[in-house]
Amino acid sequence: MLRVATELFARYGYSPIYTPIFEHTEVFARGIGEATDIVGKEMYTFLDKGGRSITLRPEGTASVVRAALEHNLTANGQGAKLYYAGPMFRYERPQKGRQRQFWQIGAEALNMAEPSADAELIVLLWRFFEAVGIPADNMRLLVNSMGDEACRPAYREKVAEFIRAHAADLCAECDRRADTNPLRAFDCKNPGCVAVMADAPLLRDELCDECASHYAAVKEALVVLDVPFTEEPKLVRGLDYYTRTVFEVQADAGLGSQNAIGGGGRYDRLMEQYGGSPTPGLGFALGFERTLLAMQAAKARVPSPALADVYVAAVDESVRAQAFSLASQLRDAGVAAECDHQARSLKSQFKQADRIGARFVVVVGPDELAEGQLTLRDMGTKVETRVSRDGVTTEVRRALGID
Ligand code: AMP
């Protein structure tokens, strides 16, 4: 799965970024928001020996933004496309598809304000899931706009009022959310709350002109790119930092209630919260384990690449050292080569070559070697040719189409 991500993300212009597994608590609290479930309830936070508050990262965006600012990756209007993969930690109640330590692969596009950037990121997420073999029919792409500072505050207040007016029919937590994070009430799984929130006002109807036209352009681009999506006006996503576009991919087969396999959105104000200049950005994260569950349900398998192009087989013990040094020589010449370190018989070395998908086997035999010769066997056609020991590297590179 990681290999698929690396290849696909590179095709879309993303470079890897590696951020620390733990950071100052402040990094997450400031960006993700105090009123979110993640910061409020789910962080693994502790004091280090110096008495500083440290947190195991619960998600990737805050760290990427912090690192981008620290290293000036978006200075002078420069754009940055970055991706990461690694473990995240959240103190949640474990269940199917929900672990306290889980892996995410995520992508962030910084300094990109155009709606085409939103569409590009959504397509990338969708294509990734297709590339690992989850059939489009098993997935649902939901999109929504969360507005911005021009239209969201008034809407937020409207939802808060709505919650207060229906407090009697909502759970205690949603009731509290009127004061802390009213939009999160849309995410509550409690059936009573779901029923009440079905009639809550929708931001879709109150977007300002700029947000409405941005959203329209994103949807238009998705239509052109032939990515099927559903508008879900109640999709709010759990983090405070989102503005405008948010999206989520859900997969039903193989997952229970935790059916979100990936999601993300735009966060045009986030860089400022870290003291940077206004810098638009957006990103997504996908869950590794949940994606695996969805793949298993679809019986999807990513074909593993050959572990080596060439296997160097030793006919007997007397030429084992020469086989090893030939394998090393091939590796130094840029060829993926393998040899035996388990005292296997010649027959089982051939079996092993087959198992790892080697295209060629170089057979090192004592008699041939005495004459400066080796045998090169094409595992596809089964054709064997004699090659000279001295010219074997060139011969192998040519056979593999490298030269
Ligand atoms: P989020 O950062 O909450 O937007 O999550 C992004 C993706 O990470 C989700 O769509 C899930 O696939 C995955 N994810 C989030 N929390 C967990 C968890 N506790 N266990 C496993 N996967 C998770």
Side-chain angles (χ1 to χ4, degrees), residues 145-164:
S145 174
M146 299 201 43
D148 63 6
E149 65 280 4
C151 49
R152 192 157 56 179
Y155 170 71
R156 224 176 117 104
E157 200 36 53
K158 256 193 182 173
V159 177
E161 273 166 32
F162 178 88
I163 292 175
R164 287 188 197 105

Side-chain angles (χ1 to χ4, degrees), residues 185-199:
F186 283 112
D187 264 356
C188 186
K189 300 269 191 291
N190 185 321
C193 299
V194 173
V196 171
M197 293 308 290
D199 297 325

Side-chain angles (χ1 to χ4, degrees), residues 30-77:
R30 192 193 288 194
I32 303 170
E34 299 281 357
T36 60
D37 283 351
I38 291 187
V39 174
K41 298 193 280 198
E42 297 168 2
M43 294 205 303
Y44 279 93
T45 296
F46 53 93
L47 295 180
D48 71 5
K49 283 187 181 171
R52 287 167 296 234
S53 181
I54 296 295
T55 293
L56 298 181
R57 61 182 186 190
E59 55 104 63
T61 305
S63 303
V64 171
V65 166
R66 194 264 314 137
L69 274 173
E70 211 170 304
H71 301 286
N72 284 324
L73 301 185
T74 56
N76 308 321

Side-chain angles (χ1 to χ4, degrees), residues 150-224:
C151 49
R152 192 157 56 179
Y155 170 71
R156 224 176 117 104
E157 200 36 53
K158 256 193 182 173
V159 177
E161 273 166 32
F162 178 88
I163 292 175
R164 287 188 197 105
H166 294 81
D169 301 319
L170 292 167
C171 70
E173 182 141 11
C174 282
D175 188 19
R176 243 191 331 271
R177 282 174 174 144
D179 299 319
T180 57
N181 199 351
L183 304 194
R184 282 293 281 162
F186 283 112
D187 264 356
C188 186
K189 300 269 191 291
N190 185 321
C193 299
V194 173
V196 171
M197 293 308 290
D199 297 325
L202 296 174
L203 181 53
R204 179 178 62 186
D205 306 325
E206 326 217 358
L207 290 175
C208 60
D209 290 348
E210 284 78 13
C211 285
S213 67
H214 185 97
Y215 187 35
V218 173
K219 289 183 288 183
E220 213 174 286
L222 291 177
V223 171
V224 170

Side-chain angles (χ1 to χ4, degrees), residues 90 92 97-99 102 104 237 260-263 285-287 290:
R90 294 184 195 172
E92 294 186 271
R98 190 160 78 188
Q99 293 87 25
F102 56 99
Q104 279 186 343
R237 304 204 25 90
I261 50 177
L286 63 95
R290 285 189 204 174

Side-chain angles (χ1 to χ4, degrees), residues 53 90 103 109 133 141 154 180 190 207 214 218 245 249 253 269-270 288 300-301 362 364 381 393 396:
S53 181
R90 294 184 195 172
W103 265 60
L141 168 64
T180 57
N190 185 321
L207 290 175
H214 185 97
V218 173
T245 318
V249 177
R269 302 263 82 90
L270 187 59
F288 201 89
R301 290 198 55 197
V362 179
V364 184
T381 62
T393 306
V396 166

